[in-house]
Amino acid sequence: MNGTVASIVGQDKPRKVLRDSIRLLGRRYVEPTLAAFVCEMVAVLYDPRDLTEVHVYHEGRFVCRALSPEHLAAPALRDNQRARREAQATRHGHAHHHGGCR
């Protein structure tokens, strides 16, 4: 996620903060900050294209960004996009290429 609200398009029903995580879409999301909100209901916003992290809100206020331990070893979507842009710039003499695969 790039941090802008516009990029965070998924919103699920309110979730209860468990003792060590939030569960969403069959995944756990952890962040030490959540310890202060155990048993509280929170809103969880996420980018369905990048489920490595979610943004957590309590009573309309941003609380934290929680990460999925299952995905920490895998690169995030933005990391893949950055790497692709850098590789394309190198291959094409810094020419910016738009579009899909050829």
Side-chain angles (χ1 to χ4, degrees), residues 54-101:
V54 297
H55 288 204
V56 181
Y57 293 81
H58 181 259
E59 297 179 353
R61 291 189 175 145
F62 177 74
V63 172
C64 66
R65 188 186 97 193
L67 301 174
S68 170
E70 292 87 1
H71 288 98
L72 289 180
L77 174 64
R78 70 173 174 255
D79 296 330
N80 287 336
Q81 291 171 332
R82 183 181 319 112
R84 182 174 58 239
R85 282 191 305 272
E86 290 170 0
Q88 288 173 343
T90 300
R91 265 198 317 272
H92 300 293
H94 301 287
H96 196 28
H97 174 69
H98 293 286
C101 299

Side-chain angles (χ1 to χ4, degrees), residues 1-99:
M1 277 190 227
N2 66 15
T4 63
V5 175
S7 70
I8 306 169
V9 294
Q11 181 174 6
D12 201 43
K13 64 185 179 184
R15 296 286 170 169
K16 184 184 282 190
V17 178
L18 306 174
R19 68 179 169 84
D20 67 345
S21 63
I22 294 173
R23 294 204 56 86
L24 176 72
L25 303 173
R27 296 171 175 88
R28 281 180 48 239
Y29 292 89
V30 297
E31 164 59 40
T33 307
L34 292 173
F37 297 90
V38 171
C39 295
E40 296 283 335
M41 298 303 285
V42 295
V44 179
L45 302 179
Y46 60 94
D47 181 344
R49 300 168 301 160
D50 183 4
L51 295 174
T52 59
E53 67 181 38
V54 297
H55 288 204
V56 181
Y57 293 81
H58 181 259
E59 297 179 353
R61 291 189 175 145
F62 177 74
V63 172
C64 66
R65 188 186 97 193
L67 301 174
S68 170
E70 292 87 1
H71 288 98
L72 289 180
L77 174 64
R78 70 173 174 255
D79 296 330
N80 287 336
Q81 291 171 332
R82 183 181 319 112
R84 182 174 58 239
R85 282 191 305 272
E86 290 170 0
Q88 288 173 343
T90 300
R91 265 198 317 272
H92 300 293
H94 301 287
H96 196 28
H97 174 69
H98 293 286

